[in-house]
Amino acid sequence: MEPMDIVGKSKEDASLPKATMTKIIKEMLPPDVRVARDAQDLLIECCVEFINLVSSESNEVCNREEKRTIAPEHVLKALQVLGFSEYIEEVYAAYEQHKLETMDTLKAGKWSNGAEMTEEEALAEQQRMFAEARARMNGGAVAPKQPDGDQSLDS
């Protein structure tokens, strides 16, 4: 029997939006480079498989900690376990950026944690995080800000 995902479709049925993925692929390449349709399809399949792999390992990390909800620290630990440690800082920076971008939505909703920033403070924090990410990408030794609480990736 085939492995099933949450909504009852087989893994082979899971995919990513082709138009969005094609746009991402084209944005990452020089304008004079063309990508064959078969190569685009292969890249999309690789992305789906990567997501499945990280999701599965994140679930394993979550289960080992006897938690029921996969949290960002579980994903970061999964990346480490799978040998993608060099991407952890960049992924964490993207996560922090996502939190900043969604802050207004969270403040208005019931999930607000009460940590409010002015637009100027959020912009300053965003610029600081961008500077840290640039320094890391350029080989600088800037220590990343860790998530709140004891969420060490070495545990």
Side-chain angles (χ1 to χ4, degrees):
M1 183 172 205
E2 277 184 272
M4 302 298 271
D5 68 10
I6 294 173
V7 292
K9 295 182 181 177
S10 69
K11 280 188 174 183
E12 287 74 28
D13 291 338
S15 189
L16 295 168
K18 199 169 209 167
T20 302
M21 293 302 297
T22 300
K23 180 180 177 197
I24 291 170
I25 292 166
K26 287 181 180 181
E27 286 175 355
M28 297 305 296
L29 298 172
D32 60 327
V33 174
R34 297 181 62 193
V35 181
R37 181 123 8 238
D38 288 348
Q40 288 179 10
D41 291 343
L42 180 59
L43 284 168
I44 292 169
E45 289 303 315
C46 288
C47 292
V48 169
E49 186 58 33
F50 180 76
I51 291 168
N52 287 334
L53 181 68
V54 174
S55 298
S56 178
E57 186 61 36
S58 298
N59 186 51
E60 292 296 320
V61 170
C62 183
N63 286 337
R64 282 192 295 268
E65 294 181 7
E66 298 180 357
K67 303 287 184 179
R68 295 186 57 182
T69 302
I70 296 173
E73 60 268 14
H74 298 133
V75 176
L76 296 172
K77 179 68 176 176
L79 288 171
Q80 181 184 40
V81 168
L82 293 169
F84 295 105
S85 295
E86 69 265 21
Y87 297 103
I88 291 174
E89 290 180 2
E90 190 174 350
V91 168
Y92 185 74
Y95 168 63
E96 287 294 315
Q97 176 64 31
H98 170 75
K99 286 194 324 188
L100 283 175
E101 290 172 358
T102 59
M103 187 184 316
D104 289 337
T105 305
L106 294 175
K107 273 197 242 179
K110 67 179 182 178
W111 301 108
S112 176
N113 64 2
E116 296 183 16
M117 281 188 195
T118 66
E119 187 171 326
E120 293 80 18
E121 290 170 332
L123 183 58
E125 177 69 7
Q126 178 184 40
Q127 294 303 323
R128 182 193 63 75
M129 291 185 333
F130 281 148
E132 283 181 5
R134 269 191 299 277
R136 285 190 300 273
M137 294 300 289
N138 293 326
V142 177
K145 180 181 172 188
Q146 292 294 318
D148 294 334
D150 183 28
Q151 299 170 347
S152 172
L153 295 178
D154 298 327
S155 57

